[in-house]
């Protein structure tokens, strides 16, 4: 019996090692003078980067993570990629020197219109070229940081998708012209996407990167790559340590995961898992704004989760986590939702 228990533990350990993933961190501002909901202070950022260095995390370019997912290659434990959205000047002033001192690469997703219009808080091309020469990769965040899933009045799906494709291609061309390269990675503005947009991105050969939580790895879709936002209450060091050791939820099938809700204010999500390391008895989900809720298991591999109350207009999430049997980490999965008001309008940001 003892030998069998040891064998099971060994197999579980081999499973969790093979399913090891990368944690992708997402930042916006590194400043004391910007909105707390999208900011970390320079002191917090320095502490976080020092923790990565002192605890021997492997900080790699996001392109390396994406290549591993695309090729089905396993990522070593404690792999981290660092990203920033929008291109605020405070990132160049307060984050870049820290990253450069540690030798940490990172990706900076930028919208072009704020650069072209010389917005005071945003970086310009000269700054982006300097950062790029010192370890940053510059990538696509749309032309004007638009809500990409929102259609214009009278616009059908085909015209909408063609307009978005032109937007992204124009953005990518500007980056390539100014910096000399193109990585074809899009960070969805506001983290908003739907299935039609994901399919068009795949046809274009682009990777789509969200703002929903979770570790990225072999079970991640390349049109909905998760990241852990780090800002406001999510910048707490103790909470961040847990996320840095998170594992890629072994979800082999999702049903009901169309992110844009239309007449589905209480979406039902069905998740099918594989592997033996995840503790199914301890899996717990959290409905944004409604708290924790245990899933309903359909069989040994599949569960469903549904909000008790209608989700509000705007952006929401279902987050599900479960501890590993063989490590101190948690498997982590997040499903983002976005919906308009009943009259078709959208909440103001």
């Amino acid at each position: 019996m003892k030998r069998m228990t040891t064998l099971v533990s060994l197999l579980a350990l081999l499973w969790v090692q093979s399913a090891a993933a990368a944690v992708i961190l997402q930042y916006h501002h590194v400043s004391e003078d910007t909105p707390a909901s999208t900011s970390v202070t320079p002191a917090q950022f320095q502490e976080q980067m020092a923790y990565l260095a002192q605890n021997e995390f492997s900080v790699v370019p996001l392109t390396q993570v994406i290549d591993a997912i695309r090729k089905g290659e396993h990522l070593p434990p404690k792999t981290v990629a660092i990203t920033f959205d929008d291109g605020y000047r405070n990132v160049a002033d307060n984050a870049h020197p820290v990253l450069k001192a540690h030798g940490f690469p990172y990706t900076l997703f930028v919208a072009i219109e704020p650069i072209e219009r010389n917005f005071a808080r945003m970086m310009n091309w000269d700054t982006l070229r300097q950062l790029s020469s010192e370890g940053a990769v510059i990538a696509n965040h749309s032309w004007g940081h638009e809500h990409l899933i929102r259609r214009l009045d009278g616009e059908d799906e085909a015209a909408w998708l063609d307009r978005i494709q032109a937007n992204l291609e124009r953005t990518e061309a500007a980056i390539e012209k100014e910096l000399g390269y193109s990585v074809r990675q899009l960070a969805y503005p506001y983290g908003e996407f739907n299935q039609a947009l994901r399919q068009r991105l795949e046809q274009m050969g682009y990777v789509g990167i969200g703002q929903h939580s979770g570790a990225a790895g072999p079970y991640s879709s390349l049109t909905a790559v998760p990241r852990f936002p780090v800002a406001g209450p999510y910048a707490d060091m103790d909470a961040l340590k847990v996320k840095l050791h998170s594992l890629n939820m072994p979800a082999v099938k999702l049903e009901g995961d169309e992110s844009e809700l239309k007449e589905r204010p209480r979406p039902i999500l069905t998740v099918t898992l594989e592997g033996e390391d995840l503790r199914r008895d301890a899996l717990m989900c959290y409905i944004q704004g409604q708290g924790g809720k245990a899933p309903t298991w359909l069989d040994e591999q599949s569960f469903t989760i549904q909000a008790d109350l209608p989700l509000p207009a705007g952006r929401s999430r279902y987050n599900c986590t479960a501890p590993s049997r063989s490590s101190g980490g948690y498997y982590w999965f997040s499903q983002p939702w976005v919906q308009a008001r009943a009259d078709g309008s959208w909440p103001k940001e």
Side-chain angles (χ1 to χ4, degrees), residues 284-293 305 317-321:
M284 191 68 180
C285 296
Y286 301 85
I287 314 299
Q288 188 168 344
Q290 300 183 30
K293 183 175 181 181
I305 185 68
R317 295 180 195 167
Y318 290 176
N319 290 329
C320 297
T321 62

Side-chain angles (χ1 to χ4, degrees), residues 83-276:
T83 68
F84 299 85
D85 285 8
D86 301 337
Y88 291 107
R89 184 172 294 278
N90 59 61
V91 172
D93 295 340
N94 300 326
H96 179 74
V98 178
L99 294 161
K100 184 179 178 182
H102 285 295
F104 289 168
Y106 64 95
T107 296
L108 182 60
F109 293 100
V110 299
I112 305 304
E113 185 177 23
I115 301 173
E116 299 291 330
R117 294 177 64 180
N118 296 312
F119 285 6
R121 296 185 303 160
M122 311 304 289
M123 300 182 202
N124 58 30
W125 284 117
D126 287 340
T127 300
L128 291 171
R129 276 188 283 271
Q130 181 65 28
L131 300 189
S132 182
S133 71
E134 296 180 355
V137 171
I138 313 303
N140 199 317
H141 202 33
S142 81
W143 184 263
H145 202 280
E146 297 89 351
H147 293 270
L148 298 182
I149 68 171
R150 302 186 188 183
R151 300 188 194 182
L152 303 178
D153 290 342
E155 191 173 46
D156 63 17
E157 181 172 286
W160 159 64
L161 286 171
D162 288 345
R163 175 173 60 84
I164 298 306
Q165 178 168 340
N167 177 312
L168 302 181
E169 289 176 339
R170 182 186 181 194
T171 304
E172 201 72 23
I175 293 171
E176 188 166 14
K177 175 186 175 183
E178 296 290 343
L179 299 168
Y181 59 80
S182 164
V183 295
R184 290 179 172 261
Q185 294 174 3
L186 168 72
Y188 296 110
Y190 309 98
E192 296 176 354
F193 55 82
N194 58 22
Q195 294 290 13
L197 180 56
R198 291 174 62 182
Q199 290 170 5
R200 179 57 65 96
L201 245 63
E202 186 174 15
Q203 293 168 6
M204 293 171 64
Y206 278 65
V207 172
I209 300 163
Q211 297 185 23
H212 52 293
S213 301
Y219 298 97
S220 299
S221 167
L222 285 175
T223 56
V225 179
R227 292 185 291 174
F228 282 108
V230 187
Y234 304 111
D236 176 76
M237 196 66 225
D238 289 337
L240 186 59
K241 289 176 184 178
V242 174
K243 295 172 182 177
L244 287 169
H245 292 279
S246 62
L247 302 166
N248 188 211
M249 184 73 81
V252 293
K253 184 179 180 181
L254 301 176
E255 298 176 72
D257 62 325
E258 166 55 88
S259 297
E260 185 178 10
L261 301 178
K262 297 178 180 179
E263 301 179 358
R264 290 190 304 135
R266 296 175 55 232
I268 300 173
L269 178 68
T270 303
V271 181
T272 301
L273 306 173
E274 70 174 5
E276 301 299 325

Side-chain angles (χ1 to χ4, degrees), residues 298-321:
L298 304 178
D299 52 42
E300 291 187 358
Q301 285 78 39
S302 301
F303 69 87
T304 64
I305 185 68
Q306 182 181 27
D308 292 324
L309 302 173
L311 299 179
R315 296 184 293 275
S316 304
R317 295 180 195 167
Y318 290 176
N319 290 329
C320 297
T321 62

